[in-house]
Amino acid sequence: MKLGAHVSVAGGLHNAIPRALEIEADTFQMFSKNPNQWIAKPLTDEDIEAFKTSLAKTDLGPLMIHDSYLINMGSPDETKGKRAQVAFLEEYHRCEALGVAYLNFHPGSHTHPKKDMRDDKQTRDEALERIADHMNKTLKETKGYDSKLVIENAAGQGTNVGIKFEEIKHIIDHIDDKKRVGVCIDTQHAWASGYDWRNDFNQIWDDFESIVGMEYLVALHLNDSKSDLGSRVDRHDNIGMGKLGKETFKNFMQEKRLEHLAGYLETPGGPEMWKPEIAVLRKLAEK
């Protein structure tokens, strides 16, 4: 597995590259803009050239961009939906312009105000289909793009959808151009939404294979968990220091079905923690 982390782009996107090298990563994830703002300064030719030139001097990859936290393609509100569509398309344009392989995104939330509707199947399915519709519009407007739209499983906080493999499948089933769609499984989110990596590791991947299909899996977010199994609380911890434990990550690193993937850390502590964590994961991969 190629290992990396979500590195900072402070001072310019090209600065992500030396930061990834400093932690001895094989790859990295980044933002292409401020994730907490709708408006972004357009990428200039100089921005793109600086990034690509610096990257070409390394063997880093495949890279992943994580899109804005503000985008909710599951919202039933028409105005919010249009805003999400514009922002998502812009994220995809930036990803393709930079030559980055994957645009990772959280599916979204159905936002129903009544608590007893949180897990209503029809409400959730309608949100999943809205997400697929936004993806289809984006794919239709970007024929010829190489970057993939990568669905990340959610932890299940609030009215998040896309928390179970069946819900990810529901989105993919409604996509027209499936060749440009991938999946990233966040280990902490899966745990928080009820997938017991400690006791059901092999069965979980068997289920993913039969429900979604391993051909869609392109990456992992390698995060331990501060929150309990099934808590639906998104709280990351450092590798081996949380509820999943080091032995679970040994399973991830030694699972043949996962060895071709990219694995990105989103754990606390920044570069000072990521470098030793990557070293630990590499050690765990040794048979």
Side-chain angles (χ1 to χ4, degrees), residues 124-136:
R124 297 181 72 83
D125 285 352
E126 287 171 355
L128 296 167
E129 287 157 27
R130 286 191 290 271
I131 293 161
D133 186 52
H134 284 297
M135 292 173 67
N136 280 328

Side-chain angles (χ1 to χ4, degrees), residues 2-9 15-31 60-66 220-223 238-239 262-279 281-282:
K2 292 191 173 183
L3 298 172
H6 185 114
V7 297
S8 170
V9 295
N15 288 326
I17 295 156
R19 288 172 183 141
L21 295 174
E22 284 169 10
I23 60 171
E24 299 182 0
D26 306 308
T27 182
F28 63 89
Q29 177 178 274
M30 67 179 191
F31 294 122
L60 293 167
L63 308 187
M64 179 178 275
I65 286 174
H66 196 302
L220 298 175
H221 282 160
L222 295 168
N223 302 308
N238 294 99
I239 301 300
Y264 309 95
L265 293 167
E266 298 175 322
T267 51
E272 291 182 5
M273 290 296 292
W274 296 333
K275 184 174 181 179
E277 281 184 286
I278 286 171
L281 288 169
R282 287 187 177 131

Side-chain angles (χ1 to χ4, degrees), residues 88 92 101-105 134-136 138-139 147-151 180-183:
F88 188 64
Y92 195 32
Y102 307 133
L103 176 62
N104 181 82
F105 64 98
H134 284 297
M135 292 173 67
N136 280 328
T138 300
L139 291 165
S147 302
K148 284 192 174 185
L149 302 180
V150 178
I151 305 163
R180 282 193 281 156
V181 174
V183 175

Side-chain angles (χ1 to χ4, degrees), residues 91-117:
E91 292 269 12
Y92 195 32
H93 286 323
R94 294 168 79 89
C95 188
E96 181 75 10
L98 292 165
V100 172
Y102 307 133
L103 176 62
N104 181 82
F105 64 98
H106 297 167
S109 303
H110 64 69
T111 71
H112 200 290
K114 294 183 179 179
K115 288 185 179 180
D116 61 357
M117 296 296 286

Side-chain angles (χ1 to χ4, degrees), residues 125-176:
D125 285 352
E126 287 171 355
L128 296 167
E129 287 157 27
R130 286 191 290 271
I131 293 161
D133 186 52
H134 284 297
M135 292 173 67
N136 280 328
K137 288 176 182 176
T138 300
L139 291 165
K140 188 175 180 180
E141 291 189 42
T142 56
K143 293 187 185 300
Y145 276 28
D146 293 319
S147 302
K148 284 192 174 185
L149 302 180
V150 178
I151 305 163
E152 177 184 349
N153 62 310
Q157 292 192 158
T159 58
N160 285 171
V161 296
I163 70 174
K164 293 293 185 181
F165 297 158
E166 289 82 0
E167 292 192 329
I168 293 172
K169 179 182 187 295
H170 195 93
I171 297 173
I172 294 173
D173 283 347
H174 287 79
I175 299 298
D176 299 326

